[in-house]
Amino acid sequence: MINQVYRLVSARQFEVTYKDRSLQSDYVVVRPEYLSICAADQRYYTGTRGKEAMSAKLPMALIHEGIGKVVFDRSGKFKIGTRVVMIPNTPTEVDEYCAENYLRSSKFRSSGYDGFMQDYVFLEADRLVELPEDINPKVAAFTELITIATHSITRFEAKAHKRRDVLGVWGDGNLGYITSLLLKKKYPNSKIIIFGKNQYKLDHFSFVDEAYQIDEIPEDLLIDHAFEAVGGRGSEAAINQIIDHIYPEGSIAIMGVSEYPIQLNSRMVLEKGITIIGSSRSGRKDFVDTVELMKEFPDIVDYLTTLIGSVQSITTIGEIIEAFEKDLTVSWGKTVLAWNI
Ligand SMILES: NC(=O)C1=CN([C@@H]2O[C@H](COP(=O)(O)OP(=O)(O)OC[C@H]3O[C@@H](n4cnc5c(N)ncnc54)[C@H](OP(=O)(O)O)[C@@H]3O)[C@@H](O)[C@H]2O)C=CC1
Ligand SMILES: O=C(CO)[C@H](O)[C@H](O)COP(=O)(O)O
Ligand SMILES: [Zn+2]
């Protein structure tokens, strides 16, 4: 069959490519239903990802957050019509000590490999996780982003010391919202504090114990552990502020992506014996755990509807561009694409 792939060829420019795909294979074929734009896609779309990365990775189809329906599965593992979340990481080997998302050999969709902006996506069966029938598909669209928080909290649980009286999250955006929400669910007796730049965004975090604007943090406030969900230029200030407010021997999970190396107050990292936990992307286990969590606690999905910024129907390349441009102008929530192309 001929599959249409919608690739970014240079900043703000998409082209359709036609790829001949055989159905005589073990791939499961999924028709994308709802996709969602990640900050990483915007760095490619706008060209801010940097000249070197742009020329190394383009042309490629963007988007690594999305759900769809199975339209073909030779193995019969999935019934036709099953709604699934697609896992963008594609490992090519297994390592006893290194998770699939940290293996340098893994391929990650929309970071050098075609993402989900295609008429049909061909995936190995283990790159799909079945979703509950009744899940809100516009929230499920950004399940991948939820798995980022799941993955980071799992690493924190394994690597940080066990006092969890006060946990701080820096970043009053999408990832900060999801991370604080999952932390509150997992550690109901811990004090969860959100630190952000904008009062109108902090007002959305109704489930946290305390919220502070970053220029109004009491000097004597101390946290046991922290999660950084800022990224970009703001990462540096956020991580250094965390270093100032963390109790000795605490851990800092860094999730925000920055294009440039940032400067850390390394002297205080040493003096306080701080553990820094880098956390990037996610793997199958994080998707399975996240879907189970959403099944067990439907209120999590209810809270996450707050993050549906806008839903754009996509029927043409022009509408893809409109959706990316509109996403750049909104300051709260995720842009969900109803994939009708
Ligand atoms: N590790 C991983 O695997 C993943 C990482 N990411 C990365 O996580 C980062 C956050 O993504 P997302 O939540 O979608 O982005 P958002 O832009 O929604 O969130 C970032 C938020 O942090 C706020 N902020 C800026 N500076 C500070 C500061 N010093 N302290 C506290 N908050 C601050 C921003 O405010 P304002 O807008 O006013 O500046 C914004 O509200 C990005 O870099 C993204 O690429 C995303 C997915 C996966
Ligand atoms: O969003 C992400 C995962 O959900 C990561 O930020 C993304 O994978 C980083 O990739 P790149 O190096 O291409 O910017
Ligand atoms: Zn992402």
Side-chain angles (χ1 to χ4, degrees), residues 249-320:
E249 296 263 20
S251 70
I252 309 175
I254 299 183
M255 292 181 287
V257 176
S258 184
E259 282 317 311
Y260 304 99
I262 59 169
Q263 287 190 10
L264 293 191
N265 182 353
S266 60
R267 169 177 283 274
M268 287 315 287
V269 171
L270 312 188
E271 281 191 25
K272 288 190 169 180
I274 293 168
T275 302
I276 293 188
I277 309 171
S279 196
S280 180
R281 301 176 178 170
S282 56
R284 180 177 169 83
K285 184 178 180 304
D286 304 303
F287 277 79
V288 171
D289 291 350
T290 301
V291 171
E292 285 308 311
L293 193 76
M294 293 194 289
K295 277 193 210 162
E296 193 180 345
F297 301 106
D299 60 315
I300 288 186
V301 180
D302 293 340
Y303 275 116
L304 291 173
T305 56
T306 309
L307 283 185
I308 306 170
S310 72
V311 182
Q312 308 286 316
S313 171
I314 303 295
T315 59
T316 61
I317 285 193
E319 285 175 350
I320 296 176

Side-chain angles (χ1 to χ4, degrees), residues 52-258:
E52 214 174 290
M54 293 289 282
S55 56
K57 301 196 181 210
L58 267 46
M60 69 169 173
L62 295 181
I63 303 288
H64 54 266
E65 300 175 4
I67 63 166
K69 287 201 168 157
V70 171
V71 292
F72 182 80
D73 176 17
R74 226 163 49 132
S75 76
K77 264 186 212 131
F78 291 94
K79 271 206 316 217
I80 303 308
T82 306
R83 187 178 264 164
V84 287
V85 56
M86 299 179 277
I87 302 176
N89 191 57
T90 311
T92 57
E93 58 175 325
V94 177
D95 185 291
E96 195 182 342
Y97 296 107
C98 183
E100 60 165 83
N101 45 313
Y102 297 107
L103 287 168
R104 306 304 288 169
S105 55
S106 291
K107 297 174 177 174
F108 193 83
R109 290 179 185 269
S110 92
S111 182
Y113 301 90
D114 281 330
F116 301 144
M117 289 189 129
Q118 313 189 25
D119 281 356
Y120 297 97
V121 186
F122 289 65
L123 307 105
E124 309 259 2
D126 75 342
R127 298 297 97 189
L128 298 171
V129 176
E130 184 171 344
L131 287 165
E133 278 292 318
D134 56 351
I135 196 162
N136 181 335
K138 291 155 197 163
V139 169
F142 53 87
T143 301
E144 191 267 351
L145 186 60
I146 310 169
T147 69
I148 301 304
T150 301
H151 179 73
S152 180
I153 295 171
T154 304
R155 281 167 83 67
F156 158 71
E157 187 56 30
K159 295 174 197 288
H161 73 64
K162 297 296 174 222
R163 186 169 58 213
R164 278 117 175 71
D165 294 346
V166 186
L167 306 176
V169 177
W170 263 254
D172 49 9
N174 306 310
L175 190 55
Y177 185 91
I178 296 167
T179 305
S180 349
L181 181 64
L182 298 200
L183 284 173
K184 193 67 219 170
K185 196 48 107 179
K186 186 165 172 69
Y187 306 108
N189 299 322
S190 303
K191 186 190 275 188
I192 309 296
I193 310 183
I194 180 74
F195 298 88
K197 257 175 74 179
N198 320 270
Q199 192 53 48
Y200 76 94
K201 292 191 189 180
L202 290 172
D203 289 344
H204 288 291
F205 292 67
S206 54
F207 48 83
V208 298
D209 298 282
E210 286 174 16
Y212 290 101
Q213 293 201 34
I214 48 174
D215 52 355
E216 292 174 4
I217 307 176
E219 235 168 74
D220 58 352
L221 188 151
L222 285 176
I223 52 171
D224 293 314
H225 305 282
F227 291 77
E228 178 270 333
V230 174
R233 297 248 171 239
S235 280
E236 184 169 313
I239 296 169
N240 284 314
Q241 194 166 50
I242 292 170
I243 292 169
D244 290 343
H245 285 278
I246 201 164
Y247 198 81
E249 296 263 20
S251 70
I252 309 175
I254 299 183
M255 292 181 287
V257 176
S258 184

